[in-house]
Amino acid sequence: MTQRSLIITFGIHQALHWLSLGILIPVLVLIQQAKGLSLLEVGSVMAVYGIVVILLEVPTGSLADLHGRKRIYLIATAVNLLSTSMLLFVSSFSGVMAALIVYGISRALNSGSMDAWFVDEFNRVSPDGNLQRALAVIEVAVLIALGIGSLLGGYLPDGIGAILEPYRLLDRYSGNILAALGIMLLQLCYTASVIREHELPQAERRSMASQLAASFKFSISHRTILLLLLTTLTLGIGFSTMETFWQPRVREIGGEGLPSLTFGILSAGYFIAAAIGSLVIIPIARRFKDAYPRLLALTRILFGIGFIMLARQSGLYSFACWYFILFSFNGASSSPHNALLNSKVPSEKRSTILSLSSLALQAGGAIGSLAGGIISERFGIPVTWVAAGILLILSSGLYLAVRTND
């Protein structure tokens, strides 16, 4: 497989993976409400789902290192098919809770598995290739798929859902679930037939416990990896305040009569803006001569400034403008960060450490959501975003502390 064919193969794989999720993103809470759940019950379900992912993410990442990235991903996809099928038929709080717990297991299983496969394959077929550029192209495919999925997910309830609902067999959001299931089946077949995995680069067969211990010890003792995990934690804190509170803030600005289509356009738009950022960063990274720490410090500062500017907006159009600019900065930082992290991670620990990075993002998200909720309740959402922006600007110093020769 050539470098180009590898990027195309993995780009299609990731586009299919995230397309199915994008179809469910706009209506996941609405699906639960249609099954009779209150907002408190919805919050409880999502909290338990998050806990399941946090508890299982790193252990399941080590399974991929030990037993094969493709194998674990196929199991994760099968579990995801089960959880989504459950969501189609359950109609109670306990049923929805069970479906989301199973989905959390699937999410933890696939975390870091195929990303690790791609990096190892890329290094094998092109040892001197530009990993950052390859990751940026993959990121663009992911973001476009999420954008298309979000738009499709917003249309299906009034399209297929409206056709199904009168027959009382399924509700108006079942079209989203059926479409997601179809794409997941296609993804399962594509992965099984197209993805080829070579023998895992392990010097010795370890138990899961020893793999976890070795990877964790390596991460905290390696200066660059530890600093990158801390930058991921701070990103999670800041970014979660945006994900949690942008919809209430738009409602505050636009009023209660604001059309729901506005939220769909903003959701799809931020994926497109992030994709543009991922493309633009490719030539910029070359100008920096791949000095990723300085480039990442700059994008992190701009990201923080974007938060502060967004907090100052009181008009819907100016808000949308800064909202898209903000996500373009986030998209620009993704591939250089991942390229730098993967350049420091040994292949036999890659899935585990990538899962550890994802765990840092999730933990930061939990901290940011809780702290942001407290600040927003007392002082308002703009104050929360100013605080998040200051934190993100200060965290740029972590990138400047990275030594590329470490």
Side-chain angles (χ1 to χ4, degrees), residues 59-104:
T60 53
S62 70
L63 286 176
D65 280 332
L66 292 170
H67 301 293
R69 284 73 185 262
K70 176 181 175 179
R71 179 183 300 175
I72 297 302
Y73 182 83
L74 288 172
I75 293 172
T77 306
V79 175
N80 196 11
L81 279 165
L82 173 61
S83 67
T84 308
S85 300
M86 290 171 64
L87 196 59
L88 186 64
F89 296 109
V90 297
S91 57
S92 65
F93 171 67
S94 59
V96 174
M97 177 72 81
L100 267 292
I101 287 174
V102 176
Y103 176 59

Side-chain angles (χ1 to χ4, degrees), residues 7 12 30-31 34 48 53 101 110 117 184 195 197 203 208 234 246 253 257 291 293 327 331 337 394:
I7 292 173
I12 295 172
L30 300 177
I31 289 172
V48 171
V53 175
I101 287 174
N110 71 44
W117 172 86
M184 287 175 201
I195 300 297
E197 184 171 28
M208 188 172 75
T234 56
W246 76 266
I253 294 172
F327 278 95
H337 175 95
L394 293 175

Side-chain angles (χ1 to χ4, degrees), residues 234-282:
T234 56
L235 175 64
I237 294 172
F239 197 73
S240 67
T241 66
M242 176 59 58
E243 288 189 317
T244 305
F245 301 114
W246 76 266
Q247 293 178 18
R249 180 57 179 162
V250 169
R251 184 71 74 189
E252 288 176 359
I253 294 172
E256 291 298 324
L258 193 67
S260 298
L261 181 60
T262 303
F263 297 96
I265 292 171
L266 287 171
S267 294
Y270 82 65
F271 290 127
I272 302 302
I276 292 171
S278 295
L279 284 173
V280 169
I281 202 64
I282 295 174

